[in-house]
Amino acid sequence: MPLADRRPLRIALLGCGVVGTEVARVLTSDAEEFARRIGAPVELVGIAVRRAGRRRDLDVPEELFTTDAMGLVTRGDVDVVIEVIGGIEPARELILAALEHGASVVTANKALLAEDGETLYEAAAKAERDLYYEAAVAGAIPIVRPLRESLAGDRVTRVLGIVNGTTNFILDAMSTTGAGFADALDEAQRLGYAEADPTADVEGFDAAAKAAILAGLAFHTRVTISDVHREGITEVTAADVRSAEEIGSVVKLLAICELDAEGAVSARVHPAMIPTSHPLASVRGAYNAVFVESEGAGQLMFYGPGAGGAPTASAVLGDVVTVAQHRLAGISGVGESAHASLEIVPIGRARTRYHVAIDVDDRPGVLSAVAQAFAAHDVSIKTVRQEGHGGDAQLVVVTHEAEDAALSATVADVRELDMVRGVSSVMRVEGVS
Ligand code: HSE
């Protein structure tokens, strides 16, 4: 049967911001190409928006726009719903209603997936429809599909990601210019890389949601954002960035998902020093990258733009093609894989290395007292050096791998020592083999 004679696949779009506009633009302007790739014509049947009558830079019939999102997803003849509204509600109730009414769903909603992915997955399984979300993690970078499908026959042991472009831009600017956090944030806002309210990015919430999704996929275990330890970059100083340089490293905000020796999962987001020789150290500006370690494949890195209209729309549209093909074939694709149900451990049980800068009196016995505090908690010192002298003396300690709780207890004891004026910085060191 000629393509044009086939029943069109009906697509509804929820949200028409930067990403939604680009999705609608490409879907309509490249409709013939999409029809060939999918095997049937596609028809955009409605675009749900918050406010009617707003001027949009989009060449589609005005009657496609509606403020009745629920009416659009429940009309009963929609094959694929694309959700790019974001946030928890009304996105959750719209996605659930879409699935109940027979549509497959493509979403970019990291916050919802990280908070309540379980409900969405269960609804998709019950409806025998697809729930695809490549755009929810790291924008255009294919990482969800590789974890869900390409690596399904392997055993992933660690995922290290730079999954927030705003913070990577700020940290990169601090490293390049020597600026402090506040100045680098100002510059990022001026250039449009940071929002007017940058909290979700700079406090690590955005990265923590992505870490929860990555950890769940990597370890076949339900992980929510509340399982992810989160520290942002607001406390990172120009001195931290210089200290990183002293040990041949750069500071990055990392999402780290790993299996420990006992087979338990930890997921954390925090600034960390990584050696300049590590592939993630070369990720500059607002770019994202995800570094995956697995038993079979070894080390893999996925790199690219993690935000923006066209890059995010690329990921959304890739999912649209796949779920549309599934609809035509009468099948659904990969669902939730949480059978391993591994223990998720708190940050105290995570093991890594640390860089600790301690302001001390410059006199005999200080090094020995500090070293004893580390030894008392079984934290082994790899290197120690003194910076400055007299009133400016600082001991910079880099440890071997230790438990996070042991390091915290060490730092608490070090702060109590008479000859210690303060602990000016504690930063984890990652990516050291
Ligand atoms: N605000 C995010 C970033 C993109 O800066 O990478 C959307 O998750």
Side-chain angles (χ1 to χ4, degrees), residues 52 66-67 73 107 156 166 177 196 209 211 247 282 307 337 347 377 401 406 424:
T66 174
T67 53
V73 301
T107 176
V156 175
T166 303
T177 66
I247 61 164
S282 62
S337 179
I347 183 69
H377 293 284
E401 200 175 276
S424 54

Side-chain angles (χ1 to χ4, degrees), residues 41-63:
V42 288
E43 185 187 350
L44 186 57
V45 296
I47 304 175
V49 292
R50 213 166 6 180
R51 270 169 293 149
R54 212 171 118 195
R55 269 201 66 190
R56 290 185 171 81
D57 186 19
L58 197 52
D59 186 20
V60 297
E62 196 52 40
E63 59 270 20

Side-chain angles (χ1 to χ4, degrees), residues 108 110 135-139 162-169 193-195 198 200-202 206-207 210 286-288 305-308 312:
K110 61 197 163 259
V137 182
I162 294 173
V163 291
N164 182 269
T166 303
T167 46
N168 203 56
F169 181 90
Y193 287 106
E195 309 259 353
D201 294 316
V202 299
D206 175 79
K210 294 166 180 167
Y287 277 85
N288 283 197
T312 309

Side-chain angles (χ1 to χ4, degrees), residues 357-361 366 391-395 419-425:
I358 309 164
D359 299 323
V360 293
D361 293 342
V366 174
D392 288 329
Q394 190 177 65
L395 287 178
M419 60 284 274
V420 167
R421 287 179 281 113
V423 176
S424 54
S425 161

Side-chain angles (χ1 to χ4, degrees), residues 244-273:
E245 276 169 23
E246 293 285 335
I247 61 164
S249 297
V250 290
V251 177
K252 296 288 186 191
L253 182 73
L254 295 182
I256 302 166
C257 315
E258 56 192 357
L259 273 188
D260 69 13
E262 282 80 46
V265 170
S266 70
R268 50 200 164 97
V269 167
H270 53 69
M273 297 180 183

